[in-house]
Amino acid sequence: MVLWPRTNQRRVNANRSENGKEGLAEVPRGNVAIGSHDHLRNPRIGCAGIVRRGNEVLLGRREKEPARGLWVLPGGGVDFGETFAETLQREVSEEVGIEIDVEGVFNVFELINPPNEHRVIVYLNARYRSGQPVASSDLSDVRFFDTDELKQMSVSKMISPFVESVLREAEVL
């Protein structure tokens, strides 16, 4: 079995790293054993939306782990051959029952929690078009919140910490 050294750097956040600057951030790494099955594990690619209706933002309460019971932005996994915009439109339609207009990419985040979680999440800005929000099997509740409600939810720790950081960067909180 051949050991191939992993780099001790990775690109973090499309706009800035943990130190607040564009570029690479130090991450502890070991060696990858070539010939083992570890190299077959790939990050999951997904997208989520900051869906606005006037001054409100759409959130759903998670019905399953991770973050069960916390409020999150709607989204899900990208299917083969699907654009990020198509993914978000499909996921919002399936999870929430509304139609949206995707405006473009807000930012890209990497979520790494060894040993089993590595996700790349593309966050998109979107606007509500039509429909009445109704929770699906993935969500126990779904609705639009104004800024004051979001701030109160933040104080009460009702929003997923990761999603809260996205909302802060988007200047929603």
Side-chain angles (χ1 to χ4, degrees), residues 10 37 43 48 50 80 87 94 98 104 114 127 142 147 149 173:
R10 67 174 163 86
H37 293 288
I50 302 171
F80 184 82
T87 298
E94 290 173 2
I98 65 170
R127 294 270 173 214
V142 62
T147 304
E149 291 172 306
L173 275 176

Side-chain angles (χ1 to χ4, degrees), residues 48-53 55-61 71-75 88 91-93 95-100 126-128 132-135 139 141-146 150 153 163 167 172:
I50 302 171
V51 179
R52 291 181 167 92
R53 182 178 70 182
N55 68 342
E56 299 175 312
V57 174
L58 180 67
L59 295 178
R61 184 179 287 159
W71 291 88
V72 297
L73 294 165
L88 184 61
E91 288 287 344
V92 169
S93 178
E95 291 181 2
V96 183
I98 65 170
E99 300 299 315
I100 60 169
R127 294 270 173 214
Y128 165 84
Q132 186 63 33
V134 176
L139 304 170
D141 195 6
V142 62
R143 72 184 198 87
F144 285 93
F145 295 92
D146 66 30
L150 290 171
M153 292 169 70
V163 168
L167 293 173
V172 173

Side-chain angles (χ1 to χ4, degrees), residues 67 70-72 157-165:
L70 296 178
W71 291 88
V72 297
K157 306 286 187 215
M158 296 170 65
I159 302 172
S160 154
F162 188 77
V163 168
E164 187 170 330
S165 68

Side-chain angles (χ1 to χ4, degrees), residues 72-86:
V72 297
L73 294 165
V78 177
D79 289 341
F80 184 82
E82 191 175 51
T83 67
F84 296 131
E86 290 167 341

